[in-house]
């Protein structure tokens, strides 16, 4: 995994992924006590950043291998990204999803032409299921985060942030990233290390599912005791990846955590002030920017809103916090 792979992924994504802008609001600045810039990847194809990594990985395959089809395991956003990228490439896709994933994500994945295989997150191993199906059907496994080409695709967000922040006169800032297994965070960290060395990337996770923060603190991979039971389903993973963790360890600052209530409040503020829709897991970085001010340094903070695939009931719950 290296910076050159991110640049190559950017070339393959050109004309396919949306270049999302940096948004701002004086109302959010007031809450945070500093300038806040928001990267709304909820506006990306399929409603999350995951399309970038999926397109990067699928487009990098040998055509003969790609034509046999792909498989992925995901709580929803990676699933939709892979399904759409596969559909555009004209190849079949099979998606292994937890049965408790939001109904909207399951429905959207099927609507994009993928075959969906559901599993019990608490009692079954998604890696094992995915690998078995890949062998049986001759499919190529597109991992959700611990894959160099996926990380490269997510790293293109870092390229955009570095360029757009510089155009706004921002060369020193903390960049908060919603973090599950670390694909998005590590990709952005690699890109910023090359293109914006004054920007410090920091992962943000839900309280009780802070495996990355604890891993960074201890210097070794730590695991989560539970794999469900939080509204931030999109970023709940057992532990950071074998590929992502060394990058996180070398390139990132300390991790941050937020509560479910703070994530919901950030969703409401994003809608009220920016007119964007965020899902709980996609709002944790913004929540940290707004409600963890004492843990952040500098006069500018950048937050990635990583996804917006939220059920109406959950979004209504978020708006009730206003």
């Amino acid at each position: 995994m290296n910076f050159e792979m991110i640049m190559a992924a950017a070339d393959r994504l050109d004309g396919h992924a949306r270049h999302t802008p940096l948004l701002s609001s004086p109302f959010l600045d007031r809450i945070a006590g500093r300038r806040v810039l928001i990267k709304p990847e909820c506006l990306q194809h399929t409603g999350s950043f995951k399309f970038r990594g999926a397109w990067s990985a699928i487009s990098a395959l040998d055509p003969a291998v790609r034509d046999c089809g792909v498989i992925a395991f995901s709580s929803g956003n990676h699933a939709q990204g892979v399904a759409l990228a596969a559909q555009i490439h004209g190849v079949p896709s099979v998606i292994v999803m937890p049965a408790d994933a939001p109904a909207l994500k399951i429905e959207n994945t099927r609507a994009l032409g993928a075959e969906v295989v559901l599993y019990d997150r608490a009692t079954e191993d998604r890696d094992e299921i995915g690998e078995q199906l890949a062998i049986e059907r001759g499919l190529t496994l597109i991992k959700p985060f611990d894959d160099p080409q996926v990380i490269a695709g997510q790293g293109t967000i870092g390229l955009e942030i570095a360029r757009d922040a510089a155009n706004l006169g921002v060369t020193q800032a903390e960049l908060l990233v919603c973090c599950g297994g670390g694909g998005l965070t590590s990709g952005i960290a690699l890109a910023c290390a090359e293109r914006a060395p004054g920007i410090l990337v920091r992962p943000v996770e839900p309280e009780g599912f802070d495996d990355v923060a604890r891993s960074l603190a201890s210097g070794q991979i730590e695991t989560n005791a539970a794999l469900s039971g939080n509204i931030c389903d999109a970023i709940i993973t057992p532990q950071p990846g074998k590929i992502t963790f060394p990058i996180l360890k070398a390139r990132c600052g300390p991790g941050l955590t937020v509560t479910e209530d703070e994530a919901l409040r950030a969703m409401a503020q994003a809608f009220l002030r920016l007119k964007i829709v965020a899902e709980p897991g996609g709002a944790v970085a913004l929540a940290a920017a707004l409600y963890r001010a004492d843990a952040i340094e500098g006069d500018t903070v950048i937050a990635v809103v990583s996804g917006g695939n939220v059920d109406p009931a959950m979004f209504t719950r978020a708006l009730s916090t206003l």
Side-chain angles (χ1 to χ4, degrees), residues 290-315:
L290 297 179
Y291 309 122
R292 290 288 185 270
D294 292 345
I296 299 168
E297 296 184 359
D299 57 8
T300 300
V301 63
I302 305 169
V304 177
V305 173
S306 58
N309 292 310
V310 58
D311 288 337
M314 184 62 71
F315 195 61

Side-chain angles (χ1 to χ4, degrees), residues 107-130:
E107 293 165 6
N108 286 352
T109 303
R110 286 184 172 134
L112 290 169
E115 175 189 346
V116 175
V117 176
L118 300 177
Y119 76 99
D120 187 323
R121 195 197 299 254
T123 62
E124 295 181 286
D125 186 335
R126 69 178 186 179
D127 291 24
E128 183 178 315
I129 294 171

Side-chain angles (χ1 to χ4, degrees), residues 2 6 12 22 35-36 46 49 54 74 114 117-118 160 183 185 187 234 258 262 277 287 289-290 300 303 318 320:
N2 54 58
I6 297 175
R12 295 196 306 277
L22 286 179
R35 186 183 190 186
V36 181
T46 70
F49 74 97
S74 167
V117 176
L118 300 177
E160 294 177 7
T185 310
V258 298
E262 288 166 338
V277 174
L290 297 179
T300 300
S320 71

